[in-house]
Structure formats: C-alpha cells, structure tokens
Amino acid sequence: MNQKLVVSPSPHVHSGDSVSKNMYGVIIALIPALLASLWYFGIGALIVTLTAIAACVLFEWVIQKYLMKATPSISDGSAALTGLLLAFNLPTNIPIGLIIIGAAVAIGIGKMSFGGLGNNPFNPALVGRVFLLISFPVQMTSWPVPVASRFQYLDATTGATPLSVMKEGLSSGASFSEIMSEIPSYLNLFMGNMGGSAGEVAGIALVLGGLYLLVRKIITWHIPVSVLGSIAVFTAILHFSNPDDYAGPLFHILTGGVLLGAFFMATDYVSSPMSRKGMLLYGVGIGVITVLIRVYGSYPEGVSFAILIMNAFVPLIDRYMKPKRFGEKIKAAKVQKQ
Amino acid sequence: MSIVLITILTLAGLGALAAVILYLASQKFKVFEDPRIDKVEEALPAANCGGCGFPGCRAFAEALVKADDISDLNCPVGGPDVMSTVAEILGKEVSKADPMVAVVRCNGTCENRPRLNDYEGATSCAVAAALYGGETGCSYGCYGLGDCVEACDFEAMYMDEETGLPVIIEDNCVACGACVDACPKDIIELRKKGPKSRRIFVSCVNQDKGAVAKKACDVACIGCGKCAKVCPFDAITIENNLAYIDYDKCRLCRKCVPVCPTNAIHEINFPPPKPKPAKEEEPANTPASSN
Amino acid sequence: MLKTFSIGGIHPADRKISADKSIEVLPLPKRVVVPVAQHIGAPAKTEVKKGDLVKAGQVIAKSGGFVSANIHSPVSGKVFKLDEVVDASGYRKPVVIIDVEDDEWEESIDRSETLKTEITISSEEIVKKVGEMGIVGMGGATFPAHVKLAPPPGKKCEVLIINGVECEPFLTSDHRVMLEKGDELIVGIRILMKALKVDRAVIGIENNKPDAIKHLSQLADKEQGIEVQPLKVQYPQGGEKQLIDAVTGRQVPSGKLPIEVGAVVHNVGTTLAVYEAVQKNKPLIERVVTVTGPGVSKPSNFLARIGTPVSQLIEAAGGLPDNTGKVIGGGPMMGKALSNLEVPVTKGSSGILVFPHEEAHRKPMENCIRCGKCVSVCPMGLEPYLLMIETEKELLDRAESDNIMDCIECGSCSFTCPATRPLLDYIRLGKGKVGQIIRNRN
C-alpha cells in the first residue's frame, strides 16, 4: 500500500445528494413554467428571465469575491435559481434597469447581507419582488396581455389580471358569477392564458414542476398541500356562505402566484421550517394570510407578502414545533392510563 | 376643536399614567448597586475573555468590590497597570502576580513526528480526539486542527502551515487561558513569562514508555531523567515517563537543556548560544545559580 | 405492507457482495493479541502472566464487575507478554499477547458438531453460564449479554426479539449464521426464552434476505412460540429501539431500557454464542467476521479467533488492494476507521470493510441550506442540524433539552446531508460533553 489510510468518523458512506443537485433540480422543475411563459409572453419573458438570472449570478459573484473575500460559489445554482424565481415574479414588460435593481436587492439585501446561502431569513426572490412592487407600483402592476404581446417588450399591450378584475368588480357591487363571465374560463386560467407575472400564469406547468420536485424528493408534500388546502378551505367557507360577494376556491388557487408560491417559493429550504409539523403550520399561515390580503386588503394579490410574513415566523416555529421524538408516543399513552 | 382637545388630553393622560406606573415600578424593583462596580468595570479592559475566572468583566468587577482581599484576583489582560488602578479605586492591596504566557508543549512537527494516517473528519481537535489518537504514533500530541487558535480572542495564535503546530505570539498573549481550555489534549499550559520573557519548558506531553515515545516522535520526552539529575534546584520531576519543569522552582540555569537526548527541553528568548551554553549570562534578574 | 420502524430512516445501497460466501474457518494465526476490555463496562482483570501456558477457552482475564465480561484465551500457547498496544482508536490499551502453540482446548468444551437440543440447566444457571463464558452483544455494541438476561426487579420481559436485521450495508456475518447455523440458533433462542421466562420470541429479518427468512421460518414452525418477522428494508432497523418499534409497535421512552416496554433484544451472533456456551461449554473465543469491500478480490465470511490481526483476515480475503484508502472495522454507517491493520479481531468485530480511495474521502462541507432532510431521516426524531450548532456554540443546556442524549449515532443525518456537513461528528462530541455534565450533576 503506497498511501496512508484515511481515518474519519462514521458514517463512511454518503447518499451522494448535494446542494447543487437540489438547486438544479428546482431549476429543472421550473422549465415547463418557463416554456409556458415564453409561449404566452414571448420575447418579453426571454429578456426578463435572462436579465434576472445574469444579474443575480453577477451580484452574487461580485459580493462573494470582493465584499466577503470568499471563493465564489455561483456554480451551486442557488443564485441562478433566485434569478429565475425573481423573473417569474415580474411582469414581462418591466424595464431592464428595474430588473437589475430587483436582482441587487434580492441578492445583496435578501441574501448576502445575512451571510449568504443558508442564512437568509427571507426568500431572496420575494424580497426583490416586493421591493420593486412597493417602489415601482406602476411598472409592477401593468401586465402584458398573453399571446398577443409575444413580439413586444416594453411596448406590450397591457391588461388587467383576473385577480384585479375580480377585486374591482366585487368592490363595485358586481357578483362573482357576473365577473367570471368577463374573465377567462377556469380551463384558460389553468393553462395560463391570462395576464400576470412571467412565471405564475401557467398552472399546469407549475403543477407538473411541483410533482417533479415531489417525485425527486426535493420537497415534501407538507408545504404545498397546506398552502393550497388552507386557501381552498378558507375561500370555500367565504364563497359558500355568500356566493355573490366572494370568489370561489378554484378561482383563488388558479390565479395570481398561488401555485408558484405553494410549490416553489414557500418551499424554499432556507426560509421554511425544518420539521413536518412546522411546515404544516407555516403553510396554513401562508394560505390564511394570502386570503386575508386578497379579500380584505387593498392589494389584489397577497402570496408574496404572506410568504414573507411567515418567513419571519420560521425561527419561532422551529423553536417551538419540534419533530415528534422517538418514544414520546409511549409517554403520552402512559400518562393517559394513570 | 373638541376633537383636538380630547386627543391632546387623552394622550397627555396616557403619558402621565405611564410615567406614574414607571416611577412606581422603578421604586419597587430598585436594586442597590455599589457605584464602585461601575467604576471598576470602566477600569477593566472590557475584553470579557473570562481569563480571570469570572463570566465577563462585570462579574469580575462585582467580585473585586465584594472581596476583602483582592490579591488573589487578577486580570490577565490588563495586567498590573489595570489592577493597580482597580486597587486605587477600591483602596485595597493589589497582588503582584507574575505575568503569565501560554506555551505549546508539543514539538511534533511533520518532520519530527511522521504522519501514519490521514484524518478527514470535521476540522476540530475535539472531534478528532473523541474519535482516535491522531494522525501519528503519538496519541498525546497536537492534532493541529486549530481549536486553540479558534478560541483565542486576542489574535495571539496562528497555525504554522509548515510544522502543523500552533504558534503563540507572545506580545499579544494575555494568558486568559482560553486556548488551554480548548485543547483536548492539555498540551497548552500557562507558564510564568519569566524575566525578559525567558523561560524553559519540556515541549512534550507524551506519557508512553521511552522507546514507544521515541519511535513515534524524534523529539519526544522519553522520561530518562537526565534533566532531573542535573537540575540543581529540584525543579524537574519525572512522572509517567514525562519530565515536567516547575516554573516556580526553575531559576533558568539551562543546565537541563543540553543534557536532553531528544532536545525536548526548549529555551525561549535567551541570547544566541555561546560556545559554552551552560554558562549563565544573565545576572540582572536571574539569581546567579551557576556552580 | 411489511413492518418497519415509524420515524425517519434511510436506504443506503446494501452491496452485500459476500452474502453467498459460506463461512470459512480461518487458519490459526501465529500470535494473538487479546484486549482485556472488549465490552462496555468495567475492563476485565488480567489473570495470567508472562510465560504462562494457556489452553483455548481458559480464562485469562476475570470480569471486573456485574457489567463486565470474562476474557478467555482464544488459542493454546504461551503468554508472550502483557503489554499495551494501539487499538483501533489509536490509543494504547492493555492486552495479553499469546504465541500460538498447537490447538489444545479445555477438556470441558464439547467441540463436536452434533446438535444438542435438550436444555438441562435452570434459568438462573443459564444466566450465570452466559456471564462466565464472556458473552457480549456481538452486533457491535458489546454489552455483556448476561446483564440483559437478568431484568431488573419489577420488570417483566414479554417478548424476546432476535436481531437478524443486519441493516448495515456490506455486512453478511449474521446472514450467514442464520443460513448455516439455523438449528443451533433455534436452540439458542429456546435457551434465551427459558432464561428470560418468556413464551414468545420473534426473529426480525429484513426482506433483502429471503433465503434466511425462508430457512428460519421452516425451522421456527416446528417450535412453540418462535416466529419469524420479515421487515421492510430500512436503515437503522438493527438499532435496538428501532427493531422493537418495528416488531412490536412500542417505542422505548427516552433514556429507558428496552425492558421498559417488555422487550429484550439479542443479536443472532450472540444467540449462537449462547447456544455454544450453554450446550457445548464453549466460551466466546471465535466469531464470524465478514471481510469485504468493492476492491477486495475474495470477499468472505470467516470464522476467526478473537485476537487475530485484521491484516491476516484481509490477507485471507485476497490481500489489501493497491488503491486502498480506508479500512473500517464494522459496517460503513457505524464502523470505525482503522488507523493501523495490526489491531485484533474483538468480540464486537462484525466485519472488516476495505474501501478504495475513490470512496474513502468526504466531500468538502458547505453551508447548511436548512433543507430539513436530517430532521426527516433521524430515526429518533431529533434535529441534527440544531444539535450540531448547539455543540459548536457550546449551548450544551439547550442541546440537552433538545434530547441530544437520545442520539443513537446511526449516521443517517450525515449520510443524507446535501451540504455534507459533519453533523454526527459534532453531535457525538456534544453527547460526550452533555454526558459529562449530567454525570457531574448526579
């Protein structure tokens, strides 16, 4: 034997899983939604996506190299993923300058200021998006019309999203069923044929990607199911108690960023809870806050805010929602007996 | 008009109420604190290193104020200057503690102590020590993973890449003892800094029998006892095949240094060796001990 | 739906390449090195001195207390010396070194192959015998077996569980014992049942050993109260608490022993040793050791005397491959990497695993991405990521309240971590420190 033996503590084998495998797994899962976005919004989607990814990767590299004086780790795919998710949360006619600002906020403030990957309490892409939404409300809420604006970028024909139509309609006294006849059918909503952010429209593509994540065990069912379930239950209660004034659960789930949020944004590893119980609570929190904002707030859409608000509760959830310890079952049973 | 008035009155009322509650609370829960504690704390270096044996400078200040005799208490960071200031504030006698410094009692460099296997666990001496005896044949020596450097708050230590051993920067070392606690092998020891920072110590902690120790490391103490025999002050004891020099008894005569067959006894900060190293050169601080 | 344990678990590739190799008797070594502490508990006290002539099976070190075990000479020959040598962990431990001369056994030992089914001695005598014969848990924990056969007063054993899970990848020694020593095992189980005064015994075997399940089921059908329970493959099912959960659905509470839920677990290797001790008067001086690994030319299961150097076993399995990077005593999940190959086989050595350089190294550690995978695989329901941080930051009181002492060190968390963080390294360290604090408190 020519080399020295290696000594290390057990275990001596590893699953082969890695950070980059998980990150690229999520990126792969987002490809159907990206294709759908290119189909509906054409050139605008392309420009927004490429700019956002390039800007995020660049900012991460610069900050790691020159500010943190560390070896840049952009190849792990996390910055690219943040860029892609940021792009998916922007309208496709947004000027490049704003995208770069958004990327700088997402990476610089949302992620690196806390110490980089793994340390950020909030979902970086959403930090970027919400920053833009509050700072540039006009540009952030003019939505290109799908298909028709394929070959337009800044000059795209814009229209309203189903959610804003619904919000305005309901507040002006129209009933839910009347408004439903003005907006695309449920099938069109599911296929993504509506106005909205680049990646949030195509429900079918997002569900497909979400299933891919579940099959590859990159995420577990807890967060998506609890988000979607709580939105469905909450809106169903409102709708069936007063069908005219409140939109139905299916409408709420298919519009806005609910599917994107439930499968891809809320499940972000870093900013979501660690235990299964915690994940369920977190998901329900997101669902309830989303509906509260949509129904009672002034914004038509609330998923981003809901996720950010629940992100803030994650340390608390982790502190108090411990996983079920081995042996607890018995203790509980014994106490009951006595 | 009345709305404005009501608003002002309500807010003012709330403010007044809160003020009263706060006042009462502060009266009720008032804790008497010796004002000297604050003064002493101010005099301390605020390093909060724990080197004095108390959890932070505040706790040390409280102990100083409370104690009748503070000669046992010492702030290693501030040294005699700070302690005399403290003594002035409190009007108590101060100790004249000898300044101490950390020394690394292992010279198992890559050259002296061949590596027999490769460690590849977490970069932590504590983890490695819990796992096994280390990369070399000596299970007492330094792992070289830098727990001590990590523990040092005063930038007084660094890992020498070439030797794989920690090095102490004397000028920065305040003898707080953090590295001593961090070392799972008890290799680092606080020793008297000595006059002109001169000191002699056995740079080995191996307790194996001589042959075994020597096989593992060229510069191991083999417990032969030659140093103990030659020492005129009975400062050297041999226990578990290992020589130890008591720094309170050692008068720095350096007789033990040349007799050590493995060069395990180190002398620090002495002038460069003269043809006759046994000769004592420093009469000022060291009591003349030769012959 | 097959039974398994209820929390966490992982599925490492099982790579049991030596599963179809029957047990071979390893030739006697020239010299054996017998450590006097081969078990958990007090070390044994040496009873021989340099130059003494000993026979195989003769006591050379007496049990040092209740939780301790006798050490017997595994060979006949002359005591070369009593010394301290470097053990698997690189620390020097007291040993007895014996130069082998012939192969003469104590007369009382029955070395015939005939199966002796009739149990003639009483429960108490069985427990005493098991203690005298130096039998310890042979799955790796090396807890003295007679202690587990004497339940504390007020506790009643309801079921005896025989651990034939062998959930560690690569290892096949228990598998081979179940296939080749089935009859002896069944008698051994009856002896244990008698000692514990239970009328039900369950042999837990994972579903990746269908031949062993079939063979033992056939034998068990003829016996009253013995049954075979096939289990879904999942690591760490061989852990005592996990196995009890899988077989009975009961969970041993934190800090308690299995007897708390009326179960006692013994490994198949231990059961065989009990049979030999009680029926044949044979102390624990040899055991089945798997020698295997991706580069090993002749993966084998050897019946080796305790004290045989590891190097000799590897030699018998075709020698050490050229690009060997790591040699592990035990399985890849919980085994100990050896720093030298002259360490001896001990009562707890279930396997020797040789890894080539490609598999010997860890990947560099990255930031924790809080994916929660360590939490979901932990079979004890702990939060490894948190325990690691708490240990690093010396928040030991919080580590204690987060149940760090419940960790069974199975390694599932480190195995799974995508950022290859040394979770278990730190948890083990934290366990040590918290354990110290708890001991000081009492």
Side-chain angles (χ1 to χ4, degrees):
Chain A
M1 198 180 48
N2 39 19
Q3 276 168 303
K4 287 175 279 189
L5 287 177
V6 174
V7 178
S8 60
S10 66
H12 306 286
V13 281
H14 189 260
S15 60
D17 199 0
S18 72
V19 172
S20 51
K21 271 187 193 167
N22 283 292
M23 294 300 167
Y24 288 116
V26 181
I27 292 178
I28 290 170
L30 283 166
I31 285 177
L34 179 63
L35 293 178
S37 154
L38 292 174
W39 170 262
Y40 288 118
F41 302 114
I43 191 164
L46 189 66
I47 293 173
V48 171
T49 311
L50 290 180
T51 315
I53 294 178
C56 281
V57 173
L58 183 73
F59 281 123
E60 171 132 331
W61 187 82
V62 167
I63 293 174
Q64 281 185 330
K65 175 120 183 158
Y66 296 105
L67 288 180
M68 298 170 80
K69 311 262 186 240
T71 331
S73 60
I74 48 169
S75 59
D76 68 13
S78 68
L81 178 58
T82 303
L84 189 57
L85 284 173
L86 176 65
F88 275 21
N89 277 296
L90 300 175
T92 54
N93 60 345
I94 188 165
I96 286 181
L98 295 192
I99 303 174
I100 293 175
I101 293 175
V105 171
I107 294 292
I109 297 175
K111 185 174 169 190
M112 297 323 248
S113 65
F114 294 100
L117 181 62
N119 299 316
N120 45 303
F122 299 103
N123 185 325
L126 285 181
V127 172
R129 184 227 146 113
V130 165
F131 178 85
L132 291 178
L133 180 63
I134 295 170
S135 313
F136 307 98
V138 178
Q139 289 91 329
M140 283 295 286
T141 48
S142 71
W143 315 93
V145 178
V147 186
S149 58
R150 257 184 217 164
F151 299 103
Q152 298 159 317
Y153 172 45
L154 292 175
D155 53 346
T157 340
T158 57
T161 64
L163 268 176
S164 51
V165 173
M166 181 65 65
K167 184 119 200 164
E168 274 168 32
L170 287 175
S171 57
S172 66
S175 78
F176 172 56
S177 42
E178 282 167 19
I179 304 163
M180 273 312 284
S181 59
E182 289 171 29
I183 58 178
S185 65
Y186 281 131
L187 182 65
N188 269 326
L189 292 181
F190 186 53
M191 300 306 289
N193 197 359
M194 59 175 161
S197 295
E200 71 181 20
V201 290
I204 182 167
L206 292 166
V207 170
L208 217 63
L211 290 178
Y212 174 80
L213 290 182
L214 286 169
V215 168
R216 272 202 53 191
K217 294 189 177 162
I218 292 174
I219 61 170
T220 57
W221 58 267
H222 302 78
I223 294 178
V225 166
S226 57
V227 172
L228 297 177
S230 58
I231 291 182
V233 169
F234 196 0
T235 52
I237 293 170
L238 292 172
H239 178 68
F240 291 112
S241 63
N242 192 346
D244 280 349
D245 287 357
Y246 297 104
L250 197 55
F251 172 83
H252 273 291
I253 284 177
L254 292 178
T255 56
V258 169
L259 288 169
L260 180 67
F263 283 109
F264 295 97
M265 313 295 288
T267 55
D268 169 42
Y269 282 151
V270 183
S271 53
S272 62
M274 301 291 270
S275 70
R276 304 278 165 92
K277 268 191 281 182
M279 287 178 184
L280 291 174
L281 178 69
Y282 168 80
V284 170
I286 291 173
V288 169
I289 296 174
T290 301
V291 178
L292 286 178
I293 295 176
R294 281 186 175 187
V295 175
Y296 301 107
S298 54
Y299 280 100
E301 163 64 320
V303 178
S304 316
F305 291 109
I307 294 176
L308 287 178
I309 291 169
M310 287 313 289
N311 281 167
F313 282 99
V314 166
L316 213 58
I317 293 174
D318 277 341
R319 185 77 190 261
Y320 293 105
M321 302 287 274
K322 298 289 181 188
K324 197 174 86 192
R325 311 284 196 211
F326 186 93
E328 265 182 358
K329 205 163 79 181
I330 300 302
K331 255 187 237 158
K334 272 209 169 149
V335 169
Q336 277 167 5
K337 244 187 247 170
Q338 283 161 358
Chain B
M1 182 60 207
S2 67
I3 291 178
V4 175
L5 205 64
I6 290 170
T7 315
I8 291 171
L9 282 179
T10 319
L11 279 177
L14 275 174
L17 187 69
V20 169
I21 292 173
L22 278 175
Y23 174 76
L24 290 177
S26 72
Q27 284 299 311
K28 178 146 177 69
F29 299 112
K30 193 171 182 178
V31 178
F32 173 76
E33 256 198 349
D34 196 324
R36 290 179 300 171
I37 294 176
D38 282 332
K39 277 190 193 157
V40 173
E41 194 190 1
E42 236 166 71
L44 293 174
N48 288 317
C49 63
C52 51
F54 293 90
C57 293
R58 178 86 191 169
F60 185 49
E62 278 168 29
L64 283 168
V65 171
K66 213 183 275 174
D68 296 325
D69 177 19
I70 62 166
S71 52
D72 291 342
L73 302 171
N74 182 35
C75 171
V77 180
D81 298 346
V82 165
M83 286 314 289
S84 58
T85 322
V86 169
E88 245 170 65
I89 297 172
L90 299 173
K92 293 173 184 171
E93 273 299 304
V94 75
S95 68
K96 291 199 180 63
D98 286 311
M100 307 283 271
V101 70
V103 295
V104 179
R105 293 183 296 164
C106 177
N107 193 22
T109 60
C110 305
E111 213 169 85
N112 291 334
R113 190 173 55 144
R115 266 54 179 162
L116 305 176
N117 62 69
D118 276 324
Y119 174 72
E120 220 177 70
T123 313
S124 153
C125 307
V127 170
L131 174 70
Y132 78 134
E135 290 181 317
T136 68
C138 168
S139 55
Y140 295 90
C142 177
Y143 287 108
L145 296 168
D147 276 13
C148 47
V149 177
E150 195 72 6
C152 183
D153 279 338
F154 301 94
E155 293 180 12
M157 297 187 91
Y158 66 93
M159 285 309 288
D160 188 328
E161 297 290 329
E162 224 163 86
T163 60
L165 295 172
V167 179
I168 288 160
I169 305 166
E170 268 175 50
D171 294 342
N172 293 357
C173 180
V174 299
C176 67
C179 52
V180 177
D181 293 338
C183 181
K185 302 307 252 182
D186 291 333
I187 290 165
I188 304 178
E189 187 196 12
L190 293 183
R191 291 182 73 93
K192 228 187 236 177
K193 203 162 186 174
K196 293 199 175 174
S197 288
R198 290 174 183 183
R199 53 194 178 277
I200 297 176
F201 62 96
V202 179
S203 184
C204 183
V205 290
N206 190 314
Q207 299 180 6
D208 283 330
K209 281 180 199 145
V212 179
K214 175 76 180 155
K215 197 180 162 208
C217 178
D218 287 344
V219 293
C221 170
I222 54 172
C224 64
K226 281 184 183 162
C227 50
K229 266 182 219 136
V230 82
C231 180
F233 310 105
D234 290 334
I236 304 181
T237 47
I238 309 276
E239 206 174 314
N240 297 324
N241 305 310
L242 179 65
Y244 178 77
I245 303 179
D246 184 339
Y247 50 76
D248 281 328
K249 290 185 186 160
C250 174
R251 321 272 287 274
L252 304 176
C253 70
R254 291 199 284 167
K255 278 191 175 151
C256 51
V257 179
V259 301
C260 179
T262 56
N263 297 321
I265 303 181
H266 284 209
E267 44 174 42
I268 288 190
N269 293 331
F270 285 90
K274 295 274 149 71
K276 285 178 200 160
K279 265 244 171 87
E280 188 55 63
E281 278 287 315
E282 180 53 54
N285 286 319
T286 333
S289 57
S290 38
N291 310 314
Chain C
M1 192 64 187
L2 285 170
K3 284 186 171 181
T4 187
F5 56 94
S6 46
I7 302 177
I10 55 172
H11 302 92
D14 69 4
R15 303 165 87 184
K16 307 252 187 195
I17 46 183
S18 55
D20 55 350
K21 306 285 193 294
S22 24
I23 300 172
E24 282 174 60
V25 177
L26 192 80
L28 282 178
K30 286 203 175 61
R31 177 179 277 181
V32 292
V33 176
V34 189
V36 296
Q38 296 187 35
H39 44 260
I40 291 190
K45 290 191 208 73
T46 316
E47 295 245 302
V48 290
K49 56 183 190 301
K50 186 176 173 172
D52 281 3
L53 287 173
V54 292
K55 287 181 188 171
Q58 182 182 332
V59 175
I60 54 173
K62 264 262 183 248
S63 161
F66 181 60
V67 183
S68 183
N70 282 346
I71 307 279
H72 302 77
S73 175
V75 293
S76 61
K78 191 191 251 175
V79 176
F80 171 67
K81 71 176 171 185
L82 310 180
D83 199 3
E84 291 191 338
V85 303
V86 175
D87 72 348
S89 58
Y91 292 108
R92 310 186 80 79
K93 296 284 164 60
V95 295
V96 176
I97 303 176
I98 302 168
D99 279 328
V100 180
E101 288 166 14
D102 301 328
D103 191 20
E104 198 185 326
W105 290 49
E106 288 274 24
E107 287 80 22
S108 55
I109 301 170
D110 173 8
R111 296 188 68 192
S112 68
E113 289 284 315
T114 41
L115 185 71
K116 202 175 150 214
T117 52
E118 199 188 336
I119 305 164
T120 49
I121 61 176
S122 71
S123 304
E124 290 70 31
E125 283 167 324
I126 293 172
V127 177
K128 197 164 154 246
K129 192 94 186 170
V130 167
E132 277 170 11
M133 293 299 172
I135 294 170
V136 301
M138 287 162 75
T142 65
F143 191 78
H146 64 277
V147 181
K148 284 211 267 184
L149 289 179
K155 298 280 189 319
K156 170 89 182 83
C157 176
E158 291 159 29
V159 58
L160 167 69
I161 299 172
I162 300 300
N163 188 346
V165 173
E166 203 157 54
C167 57
E168 280 263 12
F170 285 103
L171 300 188
T172 56
S173 54
D174 288 352
H175 186 183
R176 291 314 304 181
V177 166
M178 287 189 282
L179 283 180
E180 296 177 34
K181 304 276 184 184
D183 292 309
E184 287 86 345
L185 269 184
I186 297 290
V187 180
I189 294 169
R190 283 177 41 222
I191 295 171
L192 291 173
M193 287 166 75
K194 184 169 182 187
L196 287 162
K197 306 187 182 80
V198 287
D199 46 19
R200 180 166 174 247
V202 182
I203 310 171
I205 307 175
E206 278 190 350
N207 208 22
N208 57 357
K209 295 179 265 293
D211 47 354
I213 295 175
K214 195 167 156 233
H215 181 61
L216 289 184
S217 299
Q218 279 166 0
L219 295 172
D221 281 347
K222 296 179 214 144
E223 300 287 339
Q224 269 287 315
I226 304 180
E227 58 193 276
V228 173
Q229 174 68 61
L231 299 166
K232 194 178 154 213
V233 179
Q234 180 158 259
Y235 180 87
Q237 194 139 244
E240 199 168 53
K241 292 183 169 181
Q242 276 64 37
L243 183 59
I244 295 169
D245 184 19
V247 171
T248 67
R250 300 179 197 172
Q251 295 187 350
V252 181
S254 166
K256 292 284 172 25
L257 293 171
I259 194 72
E260 194 77 10
V261 294
V264 169
V265 183
H266 281 283
N267 170 270
V268 291
T270 320
T271 312
L272 179 64
V274 166
Y275 162 81
E276 290 179 335
V278 173
Q279 304 294 72
K280 306 270 188 177
N281 247 332
K282 183 182 150 194
L284 179 49
I285 58 171
E286 55 185 3
R287 67 158 298 150
V288 181
V289 184
T290 304
V291 183
T292 180
V296 171
S297 57
K298 206 168 123 302
S300 319
N301 299 293
F302 292 119
L303 183 65
R305 298 284 169 90
I306 305 297
T308 311
V310 164
S311 55
Q312 192 162 343
L313 274 91
I314 297 176
E315 214 47 60
L320 201 65
D322 269 346
N323 66 338
T324 299
K326 193 187 258 183
V327 178
I328 300 159
M333 291 302 294
M334 293 186 73
K336 227 169 163 29
L338 304 180
S339 53
N340 84 73
L341 301 182
E342 293 313 309
V343 299
V345 167
T346 62
K347 292 177 179 177
S349 312
S350 46
I352 306 293
L353 183 55
V354 180
F355 267 170
H357 258 287
E358 303 89 83
E359 293 187 49
H361 300 280
R362 288 189 177 186
K363 282 192 289 179
M365 165 177 129
E366 294 172 74
N367 278 5
C368 171
I369 53 168
R370 292 177 42 86
C371 63
K373 287 182 181 175
C374 55
V375 179
S376 60
V377 299
C378 179
M380 297 306 289
L382 308 177
E383 298 151 288
Y385 81 100
L386 188 63
L387 298 177
M388 173 173 171
I389 297 170
E390 285 167 348
T391 304
E392 265 186 315
K393 309 268 181 239
E394 295 268 331
L395 301 169
L396 298 176
D397 46 341
R398 276 187 59 189
E400 189 187 350
S401 62
D402 283 324
N403 302 51
I404 194 169
M405 296 309 284
D406 281 359
C407 172
I408 57 168
E409 303 183 21
C410 68
S412 300
C413 47
S414 297
F415 173 84
T416 310
C417 182
T420 45
R421 294 178 72 73
L423 294 161
L424 181 55
D425 296 9
Y426 279 96
I427 296 173
R428 216 183 264 122
L429 180 66
K431 266 182 83 176
K433 288 184 180 173
V434 171
Q436 191 65 45
I437 292 174
I438 293 174
R439 276 193 298 279
N440 288 348
R441 201 183 293 151
N442 296 334

